[in-house]
């Protein structure tokens, strides 16, 4: 029995609330159970110096946890003067995931920065951030299109992410913190809406796992992402 009482293939309650920040070109508050992440998309009509003149845009991400996102207060990374390795790894993952489904040439010479701030953490913050970041990016691009239409859609497919792992010998979907901290195998799966894989991060926390276990986790991830894609479409009105 999972601590939450969920079936092995059941997600936590998912909610994606669009347009939560009136100042940003795109924004969304994504909730995977008790994990809540605020994502804003900011558009600049310029690109990094190394991209100038190429006729392509760029999508990047920043990630951070608020001090009381967890049970005890965490020190702000700005106060320490540097980001942790975990933070850098997660924000690179978010950026890679969104660029994988973005046509950077169709975007034109623009940069979109996705700021992902964890308000509450109960496992799966990076997967919630990726799933919410797509909504914020989609809304930002729709806003641009309403002012200066794109020749073709820079975001032709969706991307979502979910965690899967082996808890007490059973593959389960969408781990919360209680499961994540005790999992035998822990994985994060980033999938596209046309049934392709962007990235898989899977680790044996105890005993090594076999190929069949990995495939079972992937099948669970497809179930979870199908549900997330439905919430994304509803959030962006498609």
């Amino acid at each position: 029995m999972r601590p939450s009482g969920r079936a092995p293939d059941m997600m936590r309650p998912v909610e994606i609330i669009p347009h939560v920040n009136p100042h940003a070109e795109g924004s969304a508050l994504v909730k995977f159970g008790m994990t809540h992440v605020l994502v804003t998309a900011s558009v600049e009509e310029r690109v990094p110096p190394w991209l100038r003149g190429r006729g392509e845009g760029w999508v990047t991400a920043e990630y951070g946890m608020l001090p009381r996102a967890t049970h005890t207060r965490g020190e702000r990374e700005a106060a320490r003067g540097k980001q942790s390795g975990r933070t850098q790894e997660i924000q690179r993952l978010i950026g890679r995931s969104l660029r994988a489904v973005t046509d950077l040439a169709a975007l034109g010479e623009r940069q979109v920065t996705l700021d992902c701030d964890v308000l509450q953490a109960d496992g799966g913050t990076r997967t919630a951030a990726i799933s919410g970041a797509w909504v914020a990016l989609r809304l930002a691009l729709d806003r641009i299109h309403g002012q200066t239409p794109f020749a073709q859609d820079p975001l032709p497919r969706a991307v979502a992410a979910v965690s899967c792992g082996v808890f007490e010998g059973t593959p389960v979907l969408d781990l919360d913190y209680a499961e994540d901290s005790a999992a035998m195998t822990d994985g994060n799966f980033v999938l596209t809406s046309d049934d392709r894989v962007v990235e898989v991060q899977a680790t044996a926390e105890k005993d090594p796992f076999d190929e069949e276990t990995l495939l079972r986790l992937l099948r669970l991830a497809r179930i979870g992402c199908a549900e997330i894609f439905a919430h994304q479409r509803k959030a962006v009105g498609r």
Side-chain angles (χ1 to χ4, degrees), residues 162-167 170-173 175 185-187 189 191 202-203 209 211-223:
V162 71
S163 64
C164 299
V166 178
F167 177 73
T170 301
V172 296
L173 172 65
L175 284 70
T185 301
D186 183 22
F189 294 78
L191 308 178
T203 304
F209 56 90
E211 180 180 353
E212 177 56 31
T213 298
L214 180 61
L215 292 175
R216 290 177 70 182
L217 295 178
L218 177 59
R219 288 193 287 270
L220 286 172
R222 293 192 190 283
I223 293 171

Side-chain angles (χ1 to χ4, degrees), residues 17-41:
I17 306 170
H19 306 298
V20 294
N21 186 321
H23 303 295
E25 283 80 6
S27 63
L29 175 62
V30 57
K31 300 180 180 181
F32 284 15
M34 293 298 291
T35 290
H36 299 176
V37 183
L38 172 65
V39 185
T40 57

Side-chain angles (χ1 to χ4, degrees), residues 103-195:
D103 184 336
L104 298 176
L107 179 60
E109 293 202 0
R110 299 180 176 91
Q111 175 169 287
V112 184
T113 302
L114 298 161
D115 287 292
C116 306
D117 293 296
V118 180
L119 310 181
Q120 288 183 192
D122 185 34
T125 61
R126 73 186 68 193
T127 57
I130 291 168
S131 302
W134 183 85
V135 172
L137 179 59
R138 175 76 272 172
L139 294 174
L141 296 181
D142 287 348
R143 182 170 176 175
I144 294 173
H145 183 72
Q147 300 167 350
T148 308
F150 292 108
Q152 63 185 55
D153 187 4
L155 200 60
R157 60 183 65 86
V159 67
V162 71
S163 64
C164 299
V166 178
F167 177 73
E168 295 188 351
T170 301
V172 296
L173 172 65
D174 188 25
L175 284 70
D176 55 27
Y177 179 76
E179 295 170 326
D180 185 48
S181 60
M184 299 170 61
T185 301
D186 183 22
N188 297 298
F189 294 78
V190 185
L191 308 178
T192 67
S193 56
D194 57 353
D195 205 30

